[in-house]
Amino acid sequence: YIVTNNHVVDGATEVEVNFLDGTITAADIVGVDPDSDIAVLRVDLPTDRLFPVAFGDSDQLFIGQTTLAIGSPFGQRWTLTSGIISALGRTIQGLNTQFSVGAVIQTDAAINPGNSGGPLLNLNGEVIGVNSQIISRTRSNSGIGFAVPSNLVKRVVQELVANGRVNYSYLGIQSVSEEGIT
């Protein structure tokens, strides 16, 4: 299984995965969750050709901790940038959904278009988040990038693999006035 962002595969009818050794293979979309901006893909390769990375515990992160972001910004394949966690517990507007993603990681590691879906790593090489969004008026790194935290990713991936979708509980409030429902 491969984890990426939902907005990376949104609307795709075919998906290919490129590996560092030059292998390119088709992937199936196992499931997507627009509310967390996470998607899970499946590739059919022998296990000796796959080198999975471990998830870290995003509840143990701290501001100032060193981060490494991997991606292909602006089409430049296999790029690694470094930075720190500059804030925790941020909220970002979900893409292609009306809901926000909470408790995200803010980093100043350079995240640009093309980094989406790549891992945010700690110095132990553990995935602590999935790079998702930036704040920028120029669509390039302004030192404010966001990653979906690994503990949320683990929970979402587990449900996507098991069910192909994620079920959320929602609590809503509706008011009624003399003019009707608002």
Side-chain angles (χ1 to χ4, degrees):
Y1 295 103
I2 296 173
V3 177
T4 190
N5 287 129
N6 173 67
H7 76 264
V8 170
V9 299
D10 186 44
T13 56
E14 295 180 17
V15 177
E16 288 184 338
V17 176
N18 296 286
F19 290 89
L20 186 59
D21 68 0
T23 300
I24 299 173
T25 187
D28 296 317
I29 299 174
V30 174
V32 298
D33 180 37
D35 294 337
S36 65
D37 195 23
I38 296 297
V40 175
L41 310 175
R42 181 178 33 235
V43 294
D44 186 20
L45 287 175
T47 55
D48 65 337
R49 303 255 330 264
L50 301 172
F51 303 95
V53 290
F55 279 106
D57 182 354
S58 57
D59 289 341
Q60 300 301 312
L61 301 177
F62 56 90
I63 295 171
Q65 182 175 350
T66 300
T67 59
L68 305 168
I70 296 177
S72 297
F74 305 111
Q76 303 302 309
R77 296 179 52 190
W78 313 116
T79 299
L80 174 73
T81 59
S82 65
I84 62 166
I85 294 174
S86 47
L88 293 165
R90 296 290 198 216
T91 300
I92 56 175
Q93 178 58 47
L95 303 171
N96 307 320
T97 181
Q98 64 182 350
F99 298 103
S100 296
V101 183
V104 298
I105 303 162
Q106 180 180 317
T107 181
D108 69 351
I111 295 176
N112 289 293
N115 278 97
S116 292
L120 185 68
L121 305 165
N122 63 20
L123 290 180
N124 294 325
E126 298 169 324
V127 176
I128 56 172
V130 175
N131 302 324
S132 183
Q133 294 183 29
I134 59 174
I135 291 179
S136 174
R137 290 182 173 87
T138 62
R139 286 194 31 87
S140 62
N141 179 47
S142 296
I144 303 177
F146 300 100
V148 179
S150 61
N151 290 352
L152 173 59
V153 173
K154 288 187 279 188
R155 190 174 79 233
V156 168
V157 166
Q158 184 177 23
E159 287 196 50
L160 289 176
V161 169
N163 308 316
R165 60 187 295 256
V166 178
N167 292 310
Y168 290 98
S169 299
Y170 298 103
L171 176 64
I173 299 173
Q174 187 175 47
S175 65
V176 178
S177 67
E178 291 181 21
E179 291 83 33
I181 298 174
T182 58

